[in-house]
């Protein structure tokens, strides 16, 4: 009797066995990587496979350099500043980030530590995933670089989320010997592993999945040589501390050896904490574990001074204007004051939309530029949402920068005495 049911050929391959072995996992991984490569190639085609930072208007030059717009215009006209690029249709100028930094150098408005002051190190840490830790690390590093700091962003997470944001696929584009593992295995300085990004002033040390073996390697080395495994990274940073103003560590969402190395090497800590009850309770456990770890840092024979962080800032993340989120934010403020950043890193679709364009929001414009209309780096979404989100991010990063700048000034003052 004829049947109306579709036959197996019409449905495609029938899944007759749902069991999963190593070969199936490998097949899925290869398939996902191949799709990702095709997607990334398509996204980057307009720039011929390269990343670039957008150009900036005269108003933005004045804002970033902290030099009055009238002064910038006058000195450009007199040939004292880089002239930028002129749009012949309307006379508007646009400037690269490198040109803005040249202007800051000419006027001495670039924030620097000074030749005798080592870099400030800040670590983003939370042992729970989904806290926006990598997002916070990336946006902080880019913001600081735009505003004239020499920044090194070190990805200590084998997942390589931060590495991926800048256009490198960890398992395809990053060699194992170019990761922080070369610090541990060969004693290389962190600065020797740095590669330039497309953002002037921002270098990074990339990650790859092979770094997951750090746990075993560092433990073995500690037993063999008698050292403390959490000190391995800080022992390989002397050149990096001389070459950069700020070093940002993005750590794994765990209390692994890599995370502890980043925490131990840090002057300051940033703890992203989503405004939810689950994360609030998890954070209490996190701080209890952190207390025990920091005490362990200070009880080793080689450490004569108690480990002390210059500051810690809890950054409320994934915040939205709901009664539940508002209540949790008040609880976090009440519990962890005075260590909580006053501005909140809010939930924002614009950040996710920018990520789909393989960008961070700082790289995009809300619409066509009068200065450079053919530039093409436009946000693929609502312009109003873009501007609102960018303003929020700018406020959060500015508050963190103020904390860092205060610390750098204290170092500079102490170094001059």
């Amino acid at each position: 009797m004829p049947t109306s049911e579709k036959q197996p050929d019409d449905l495609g391959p029938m899944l007759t066995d749902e069991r999963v072995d190593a070969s199936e996992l490998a097949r899925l991984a290869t398939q996902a990587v191949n799709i990702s490569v095709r997607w990334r190639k398509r996204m980057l085609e307009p720039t011929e496979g390269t990343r670039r930072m957008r150009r900036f208007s005269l108003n933005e030059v004045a804002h970033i350099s902290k030099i009055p717009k009238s002064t910038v215009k006058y000195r450009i006209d007199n040939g004292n500043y880089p002239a930028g690029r002129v749009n012949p249709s309307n006379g508007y100028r646009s400037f690269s980030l490198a040109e803005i930094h040249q202007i800051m150098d000419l006027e001495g408005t670039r924030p620097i530590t000074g030749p005798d002051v080592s870099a400030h190190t800040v670590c983003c840490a939370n042992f729970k995933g989904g806290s926006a830790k990598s997002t916070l690390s990336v946006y902080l590093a880019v913001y600081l670089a735009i505003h004239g700091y020499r920044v090194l962003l070190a990805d200590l997470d084998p997942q390589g989320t931060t590495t991926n944001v800048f256009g490198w696929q960890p398992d395809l584009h990053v060699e194992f010997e170019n990761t922080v593992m070369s610090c541990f295995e060969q004693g290389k300085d962190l600065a020797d592993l740095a590669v330039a990004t497309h953002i002037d002033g921002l270098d990074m040390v990339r990650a790859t999945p092979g770094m997951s073996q750090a746990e075993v390697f560092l433990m073995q080395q500690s037993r063999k040589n008698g050292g403390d495994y959490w000190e391995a990274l800080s022992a390989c940073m002397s050149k990096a501390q001389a070459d950069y103003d700020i070093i940002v560590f993005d750590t794994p969402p765990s209390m692994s050896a890599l995370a502890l190395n980043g925490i131990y090497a840090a002057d300051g800590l940033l703890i992203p904490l989503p405004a939810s009850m689950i994360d609030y309770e998890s954070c209490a456990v996190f701080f209890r574990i952190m207390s025990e770890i920091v005490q362990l840092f200070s009880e080793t024979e080689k450490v004569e001074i108690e480990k002390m962080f210059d500051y810690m800032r809890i950054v409320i993340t994934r915040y939205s204007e709901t009664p539940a989120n508002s209540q949790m934010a008040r609880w976090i403020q009440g519990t962890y004051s005075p260590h909580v950043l006053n501005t909140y890193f809010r939930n924002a679709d614009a950040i996710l939309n920018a990520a789909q364009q393989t960008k961070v929001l700082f790289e995009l414009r809300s619409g066509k530029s009068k200065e450079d209309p053919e530039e093409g780096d436009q946000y693929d979404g609502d312009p109003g949402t873009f501007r609102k989100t960018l303003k929020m991010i700018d406020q959060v990063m500015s508050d963190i920068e103020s904390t860092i700048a205060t610390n750098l000034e204290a170092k500079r003052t102490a170094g001059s005495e």
Side-chain angles (χ1 to χ4, degrees), residues 28 39 45 62 83 106 162 202 233 263 294 305 319 335 350 352 381:
L28 292 172
W39 172 80
E45 270 181 347
L106 288 169
T162 294
L202 176 58
L233 180 59
I263 291 169
V294 173
I305 302 174
Y319 179 79
T335 303
L352 298 176

Side-chain angles (χ1 to χ4, degrees), residues 335-375:
T335 303
Y336 298 114
S337 178
H339 304 293
V340 184
L341 201 72
N342 289 325
T343 47
Y344 302 163
F345 201 100
R346 298 170 182 266
N347 257 335
D349 290 339
I351 295 174
L352 298 176
N353 289 344
Q356 289 296 317
Q357 295 178 247
T358 63
K359 304 279 186 181
V360 297
L361 286 177
F362 291 127
E363 298 176 76
L364 300 171
R365 292 185 181 277
S366 59
K368 278 193 175 295
S369 165
K370 293 179 181 178
E371 294 80 12
D372 200 353
E374 302 303 320
E375 189 177 36

Side-chain angles (χ1 to χ4, degrees), residues 53-56 61 84 94-102:
M53 185 59 171
R54 71 171 179 86
R55 298 180 68 81
F56 295 80
V61 173
S94 65
F95 300 81
S96 69
L97 185 57
E99 288 173 324
I100 298 176
H101 290 162
Q102 289 175 37

Side-chain angles (χ1 to χ4, degrees), residues 232-292:
L233 180 59
S234 59
C236 299
M237 289 173 49
S238 58
K239 185 178 177 184
Q241 288 180 316
D243 290 351
Y244 297 94
D245 298 321
I246 299 173
I247 302 172
V248 179
F249 297 118
D250 181 28
T251 59
S254 65
M255 281 302 187
S256 65
L258 285 167
L260 294 186
N261 268 268
I263 291 169
Y264 183 79
D267 295 318
L269 294 177
L270 294 178
I271 313 297
L273 175 55
S276 74
M277 176 58 75
I278 291 175
D279 290 283
Y280 176 84
E281 293 178 337
S282 175
C283 196
V285 178
F286 173 77
F287 281 123
R288 186 176 299 113
I289 295 173
M290 278 286 293
S291 173
E292 295 170 357

Side-chain angles (χ1 to χ4, degrees), residues 146-166:
I146 289 173
H147 287 79
Y149 293 92
R150 300 169 302 164
V151 182
L152 177 61
L153 174 59
D155 191 352
L156 304 183
D157 187 353
Q159 295 179 82
T161 301
T162 294
T163 298
N164 219 320
V165 169
F166 288 91

Side-chain angles (χ1 to χ4, degrees), residues 135-353:
T135 302
L136 183 63
S137 300
V138 168
Y139 273 86
L140 176 62
V142 174
Y143 176 91
L144 292 172
I146 289 173
H147 287 79
Y149 293 92
R150 300 169 302 164
V151 182
L152 177 61
L153 174 59
D155 191 352
L156 304 183
D157 187 353
Q159 295 179 82
T161 301
T162 294
T163 298
N164 219 320
V165 169
F166 288 91
W168 291 289
Q169 285 192 271
D171 52 348
L172 289 180
H173 303 143
V174 184
E175 299 294 334
F176 182 77
E177 58 267 24
N178 294 327
T179 71
V180 72
M181 288 301 296
S182 285
C183 294
F184 306 147
E185 296 183 350
Q186 302 174 37
K188 286 187 177 181
D189 193 280
L190 201 62
D192 295 328
L193 304 171
V195 294
T197 70
H198 61 292
I199 297 172
D200 189 65
L202 176 58
D203 296 343
M204 79 171 299
V205 176
R206 300 164 296 175
T208 191
M211 288 165 49
S212 57
Q213 63 186 264
E215 196 82 17
V216 173
F217 178 81
L218 288 171
M219 295 294 186
Q220 289 176 340
Q221 290 298 105
S222 179
R223 287 194 294 268
K224 179 180 177 181
N225 301 324
D228 297 315
Y229 68 88
W230 54 80
E231 294 182 347
L233 180 59
S234 59
C236 299
M237 289 173 49
S238 58
K239 185 178 177 184
Q241 288 180 316
D243 290 351
Y244 297 94
D245 298 321
I246 299 173
I247 302 172
V248 179
F249 297 118
D250 181 28
T251 59
S254 65
M255 281 302 187
S256 65
L258 285 167
L260 294 186
N261 268 268
I263 291 169
Y264 183 79
D267 295 318
L269 294 177
L270 294 178
I271 313 297
L273 175 55
S276 74
M277 176 58 75
I278 291 175
D279 290 283
Y280 176 84
E281 293 178 337
S282 175
C283 196
V285 178
F286 173 77
F287 281 123
R288 186 176 299 113
I289 295 173
M290 278 286 293
S291 173
E292 295 170 357
I293 289 171
V294 173
Q295 185 176 357
L296 181 64
F297 289 163
S298 304
E299 288 177 351
T300 62
E301 295 180 0
K302 293 190 294 181
V303 177
E304 298 177 357
I305 302 174
E306 180 183 4
K307 173 63 181 177
M308 186 77 68
F309 300 104
D310 295 334
Y311 62 86
M312 177 181 69
R313 289 293 179 271
I314 296 169
V315 184
I316 296 176
T317 59
R318 304 194 181 282
Y319 179 79
S320 58
E321 296 287 354
T322 64
N325 267 196
S326 297
Q327 177 65 52
M328 288 311 309
R330 288 194 294 271
W331 283 18
I332 293 169
Q333 290 278 3
T335 303
Y336 298 114
S337 178
H339 304 293
V340 184
L341 201 72
N342 289 325
T343 47
Y344 302 163
F345 201 100
R346 298 170 182 266
N347 257 335
D349 290 339
I351 295 174
L352 298 176
N353 289 344

